[in-house]
Amino acid sequence: MPEGRVKQTVIWSIILIAVLVILAGVVTYAGFFFYGVAIKRAPKEFLSKTPDLKVDPPVAGASWGEGKDWVARHDLDKVELISEDGLKLQGYFIASEQAKGRTVIVAHGYSGKAKDMGAYAKLYYEKLGYNVLLPDARGHGESAGNYIGFGWPERRDYLQWIHYVMERTGPQAQIVLHGVSMGGATVLTTSGESLPSQVKAIVADCAFSSVKAQLAYQLKRMYRLPSFPFVQIASLVTRLKAGYFFGEASAMKQVGKAKVPILFIHGDADTFVPYEMMDELYEACNSPKQKYTVAGAGHGLAYDTDKGEYARKVTSFVNQYVKSSP
């Protein structure tokens, strides 16, 4: 090969390697950036810039103030447990004299906290006479943790909360799990675990089908970027820092294993977690199931949009599986 051709080949090889190194650096930086934005425990400023969310707290409709006031009027029994991986988790228990072992565990949403869920607590406590347990998810509120699990590691935490309720309320325990947004995904991922017979029903409001699908959707929507390779590298960073891959964190796979009855709720005007995800989850579910579409409701606003019908649907569903007396 002529000497000039050799030099040219070497130069182009060096350029190609440099370009590949730069691209790898950019993609790696992006992975850490998106981990910091979405997964790391930190104020989520991007939520305030999202036009289809009501914020402060995130996904807060008019009922949030009502629920906040309701929580403030009740005696909260602060409870703690240690997660399997050593995190101190905190929750609040509100006992009802009418409960007879019936208890709802209410799961809050992304970047929220237990006390944001007062409107749902009120529904179960006042209308149905349940005890209420409001946990702060890991990485939220008063619970420890430096990352957000999007409901995946939280499923193991919820098994512990379930056993806490069983120990507290005795053998007659009857438990409902009710979650909204990320909380909805949390209770759905919990549904695929081996649950005690005391868990009678699950209500999942505006849950996403999987972490991978939700983050890919938001990446395109907020940053105009394709899923590959950004979701994959952010997933790898999350595995290194938080212990899970996005691909394994699938509510859709979990509901396919569920045996507990599930009510799926979603607003058809939800553009933060696509409305279509409810149908995907519903179709994947093999346990007794119902779905309830709230016309005109945005993300996390199904209850606010039609409080009366929401309460009727939830009440009718859980009453099929929870006995009013032991």
Side-chain angles (χ1 to χ4, degrees):
M1 181 181 294
E3 184 178 345
R5 181 74 59 84
V6 172
K7 289 182 178 179
Q8 190 177 46
T9 300
V10 170
I11 290 171
W12 280 111
S13 297
I14 292 172
I15 291 173
L16 178 59
I17 292 171
V19 169
L20 291 175
V21 169
I22 291 170
L23 287 176
V26 169
V27 171
T28 301
Y29 171 81
F32 280 92
F33 172 78
F34 289 123
Y35 175 86
V37 169
I39 312 298
K40 183 179 179 180
R41 182 174 191 164
K44 303 303 179 185
E45 296 177 359
F46 72 91
L47 293 175
S48 65
K49 301 175 183 177
T50 303
D52 51 4
L53 282 184
K54 291 189 176 182
V55 295
D56 192 23
V59 193
S63 66
W64 177 72
E66 165 198 332
K68 181 182 179 183
D69 293 341
W70 187 87
V71 167
R73 292 196 303 270
H74 285 77
D75 292 328
L76 305 181
D77 183 6
K78 187 183 294 187
V79 295
E80 292 181 348
L81 59 79
I82 303 299
S83 71
E84 291 179 349
D85 53 348
L87 296 178
K88 183 182 287 187
L89 305 178
Q90 183 165 297
Y92 305 91
F93 193 88
I94 307 171
S96 168
E97 294 180 357
Q98 306 173 51
K100 300 176 182 178
R102 297 172 300 161
T103 304
V104 63
I105 306 176
V106 185
H108 65 77
Y110 180 80
S111 199
K113 60 185 184 297
K115 292 180 181 179
D116 295 340
M117 306 306 287
Y120 304 93
K122 178 183 178 182
L123 167 61
Y124 281 91
Y125 185 90
E126 293 191 356
K127 188 174 182 64
L128 295 170
Y130 282 33
N131 302 316
V132 178
L133 175 62
L134 302 170
D136 277 328
R138 57 173 59 207
H140 293 77
E142 299 301 317
S143 287
N146 58 10
Y147 65 85
I148 295 172
F150 282 93
W152 186 245
E154 289 86 347
R155 79 196 192 285
R156 304 297 301 175
D157 301 337
Y158 266 66
L159 292 179
Q160 291 185 253
W161 286 121
I162 288 165
H163 284 285
Y164 167 81
V165 170
M166 291 167 58
E167 290 174 4
R168 178 157 184 161
T169 62
Q172 76 275 28
Q174 298 183 87
I175 300 169
V176 173
L177 308 181
H178 189 129
V180 180
S181 191
M182 187 188 80
T186 298
V187 299
L188 291 183
T189 58
T190 305
S191 77
E193 300 300 306
S194 180
L195 297 177
S197 61
Q198 286 84 352
V199 179
K200 301 299 184 182
I202 290 176
V203 180
D205 185 339
C206 63
F208 46 80
S209 58
S210 72
V211 174
K212 186 176 181 180
Q214 179 63 15
L215 294 181
Y217 170 77
Q218 290 298 344
L219 193 67
K220 180 178 180 180
R221 178 172 170 270
M222 296 176 64
Y223 295 96
R224 304 294 189 266
L225 290 173
S227 170
F228 182 83
F230 300 103
V231 168
Q232 287 72 18
I233 192 66
S235 177
L236 178 58
V237 173
T238 301
R239 178 64 180 85
L240 295 172
K241 288 181 167 288
Y244 69 96
F245 287 112
F246 295 159
E248 64 185 319
S250 172
M252 195 152 68
K253 290 179 183 177
Q254 289 291 94
V255 299
K257 299 186 291 182
K259 295 180 174 60
V260 63
I262 302 175
L263 171 62
F264 299 90
I265 301 173
H266 219 113
D268 65 5
D270 190 341
T271 57
F272 193 78
V273 173
Y275 170 64
E276 293 76 16
M277 285 189 176
M278 180 178 72
D279 288 330
E280 295 172 359
L281 289 162
Y282 183 84
E283 292 303 320
C285 180
N286 293 312
S287 63
K289 58 189 177 182
Q290 293 181 27
K291 60 180 176 178
Y292 165 41
T293 296
V294 182
H299 186 62
L301 299 176
Y303 176 71
D304 268 324
T305 301
D306 193 346
K307 292 182 182 180
E309 186 62 15
Y310 191 105
R312 282 189 290 273
K313 290 286 187 182
V314 169
T315 299
S316 173
F317 182 77
V318 300
N319 279 349
Q320 293 180 60
Y321 306 103
V322 179
K323 298 176 183 177
S324 58
S325 60

